Amino acid sequence: MRGYAIVNTEITDPEGYAEFIERIPDVIATYGGKYVVRGGRTEYRYGDWQPGRVVVIEFGSFEEARTFADSPEFTELREIIDRTSTGRMILAEGV
């Protein structure tokens, strides 16, 4: 089964966040990931989730998604994420 990183972000400092946007694609590619959803429009349907910027990244397996999330490169970028946005990321396994 494939692995997915699913992210919901509210950007609080767009100028600062631009560095993350510039650097993250190379890190994702290094770990075999590809974007399935990156930003774009969202539309509320039900429940209490009001998403901001939604990103879904697909990996070959759950283990590959975990390796990406725990990587030194992503850990380094977390400083930018934490400084310029608020958000959540989960890893999920699926088809």
Side-chain angles (χ1 to χ4, degrees), residues 67-82:
T67 299
F68 158 76
D70 294 338
S71 72
E73 297 91 341
F74 185 71
T75 300
E76 179 182 329
L77 292 178
R78 283 290 312 276
E79 186 279 324
I80 298 170
I81 295 168
D82 293 343

Side-chain angles (χ1 to χ4, degrees), residues 20-60:
F20 173 76
I21 293 292
E22 181 181 314
R23 293 175 57 190
I24 191 63
D26 289 340
V27 177
I28 291 168
T30 296
Y31 290 92
K34 69 175 185 175
Y35 287 106
V36 177
V37 175
R38 185 177 184 191
R41 182 170 47 173
T42 61
E43 184 174 300
Y44 172 78
R45 288 301 178 158
Y46 69 92
D48 61 0
W49 185 27
Q50 298 291 324
R53 176 182 171 84
V54 175
V55 177
V56 179
I57 306 162
E58 180 182 73
F59 295 88

